[in-house]
Amino acid sequence: MRLRIGGLAVWPLLLAAAMAMAQTPPAGGEQGERLVQQILKHLGLDARSSLATLDHGKVVYSGLRNPNEPPEEVSAVGAMLLIRGVPPAQVVAAFVAPDTFTRAHEVRRRQAVRDSADQAAIFRDLSVGDADGAKHLLTQPARYYNLSVAEAAQAVAAGRQPGDAKARATELMIGILDGRLRQFRAQGLQGAADYLRDDGRRVSPSKELQLAIQQIGFLEPEFPEVMAALRGQPPKAGAARVLRSDFWLEVPFVDIRVLSLASELRLSADDRALATDLHFYASRGYNSMLTVVGVVPYKASSLVFAITHLFTDEVLGYTSTIKRAAARQQAAAQLVRHLEAVRATLPK
């Protein structure tokens, strides 16, 4: 079975356009070196060999599992690339171009959700999927889907109603997505209700994403405004403006159709940029995901990096060591594709 993880956030880990030495750079010193070292450490990569690989113009990536990760976290995976001889602003523009990540991560549909749009307009093209997906949602929602206690009860009730099952399931999912989006906009991650499992357990996408945000805290010195926005904190007076957009998207995951809600933050300047993609709800397949991608100056080059934290537990039986390893490798492969796509658009 081919595992495919789609979405902006799935760039998983990092275009490291900032490494130009075959040995570990000294602590402190030139701009970007501290961040490079922390990214490598975060990904569990050896600095000496990684820097040498990057210096030869190759992508460095990690699909390894960190033993300190919680059991429901697939991994923080990564890919890195060193870009020289191109103005940083041009690298930034290529990296955040919507078409780049849409192609690289096989996003099938992606629609911005405007504050003023009504539910019918936002989700008019949405479908819950095939007949089996509709049946599972209406008969065994806690086993096959990420739903709260209240949402699971609504699904069971909808399953008892007459009429076309796929139409009822689609209508139900539209209501769930709309409610989840409203909760997030009103309360941030605190508004992300727990998922109910069929054995009675609860899974918290809110806690998972808060953990992921903590794990990328090393980005704070370079991008304090974005980190504050991720945590739901109000901007400080005079802080650079962080742009935010909300989306619903359809992505492939383990050969099933997944409907997700994502909130994207972007901050861009002439020589640096950071974009984050927070999947605070996924209909099934995975629980939540945080992807950060950035460009920062490094010596005479640009360091492009992307990091993804992906969480899943027992949805679809996704717990075996082999499948988790496949997930990490597939996520890393998508990051590599993204970096190669960026490089292909830049002048030689």
Side-chain angles (χ1 to χ4, degrees):
M1 179 184 296
R2 183 187 177 202
L3 174 70
R4 295 188 293 177
I5 305 171
L8 201 177
V10 185
W11 310 350
L13 169 157
L14 69 319
L15 326 170
M19 315 172 180
M21 299 176 61
Q23 68 272 11
T24 303
E30 298 186 39
Q31 188 178 31
E33 291 185 19
R34 176 200 60 83
L35 183 58
V36 169
Q37 292 291 339
Q38 290 180 318
I39 289 173
L40 290 171
K41 180 179 179 180
H42 182 65
L43 298 174
L45 293 170
D46 176 75
R48 184 180 296 273
S49 60
S50 296
L51 292 174
T53 300
L54 288 165
D55 192 46
H56 285 86
K58 298 180 180 179
V59 173
V60 170
Y61 68 94
S62 170
L64 300 178
R65 178 168 178 79
N66 185 325
N68 295 323
E69 294 167 0
E72 68 273 16
E73 184 173 18
V74 167
S75 192
V77 293
M80 301 153 62
L81 179 66
L82 180 62
I83 298 177
R84 297 186 178 95
V86 179
Q90 195 169 352
V91 178
V92 169
F95 191 66
V96 301
D99 287 348
T100 301
F101 68 76
T102 297
R103 291 195 306 270
H105 304 293
E106 301 175 301
V107 177
R108 293 177 181 173
R109 289 184 294 173
R110 180 172 182 266
Q111 182 173 331
V113 180
R114 312 295 181 190
D115 291 341
S116 58
D118 60 23
Q119 184 186 92
I122 293 171
F123 300 111
R124 63 180 178 274
D125 296 326
L126 182 146
S127 173
V128 76
D130 56 22
D132 285 340
K135 178 182 177 181
H136 290 156
L137 178 59
L138 298 177
T139 60
Q140 296 177 290
R143 179 176 181 181
Y144 290 100
Y145 281 83
N146 292 327
L147 302 180
S148 68
V149 173
E151 291 162 348
Q154 293 171 8
V156 172
R160 300 192 183 106
Q161 301 300 316
D164 180 75
K166 186 175 179 179
R168 280 181 286 137
T170 296
E171 182 180 4
L172 173 70
M173 183 54 66
I174 288 174
I176 290 170
L177 293 173
D178 185 64
R180 291 270 178 174
L181 179 60
R182 291 177 186 274
Q183 289 172 340
F184 178 80
R185 284 177 164 175
Q187 303 176 47
L189 287 177
Q190 299 300 324
D194 290 353
Y195 301 147
L196 171 69
R197 298 298 184 233
D198 60 350
D199 60 1
R201 291 181 301 111
R202 308 286 182 91
V203 176
S204 174
S206 174
K207 291 180 179 179
E208 292 172 346
L209 291 172
Q210 289 179 55
L211 173 61
I213 293 169
Q214 292 175 9
Q215 291 176 321
I216 60 167
F218 56 83
L219 293 172
E220 186 87 29
E222 294 284 346
F223 300 100
E225 301 91 348
V226 178
M227 294 302 297
L230 271 176
R231 293 190 294 263
Q233 298 170 343
K236 295 181 179 179
R241 185 185 176 206
V242 177
L243 301 179
R244 173 182 161 182
S245 301
D246 297 329
F247 298 88
W248 75 264
L249 57 153
E250 178 188 327
V251 296
F253 188 95
V254 196
D255 296 331
I256 62 172
R257 174 183 297 182
V258 179
L259 300 169
S260 300
L261 293 171
S263 184
E264 178 187 308
L265 300 174
R266 291 193 181 199
L267 180 64
S268 182
D270 289 341
D271 67 342
R272 69 193 61 224
L274 188 73
T276 70
D277 190 48
L278 191 78
H279 285 216
F280 57 91
Y281 178 72
S283 61
R284 52 181 175 165
Y286 63 95
N287 300 342
S288 59
M289 181 167 57
L290 171 64
T291 296
V292 298
V293 293
V295 179
V296 294
Y298 178 81
K299 297 185 177 180
S301 307
S302 292
L303 167 66
V304 190
F305 66 91
I307 302 171
T308 290
H309 287 266
L310 176 67
F311 296 85
T312 184
D313 61 338
E314 295 178 347
V315 179
L316 301 180
Y318 208 78
T319 55
S320 76
T321 301
I322 294 176
K323 288 183 178 180
R324 285 182 177 276
R328 291 192 292 273
Q329 293 295 335
Q330 186 64 37
Q334 286 184 317
L335 289 185
V336 171
R337 284 202 302 270
H338 188 102
L339 299 191
E340 294 290 3
V342 170
R343 179 157 58 184
T345 66
L346 297 172
K348 305 300 183 183

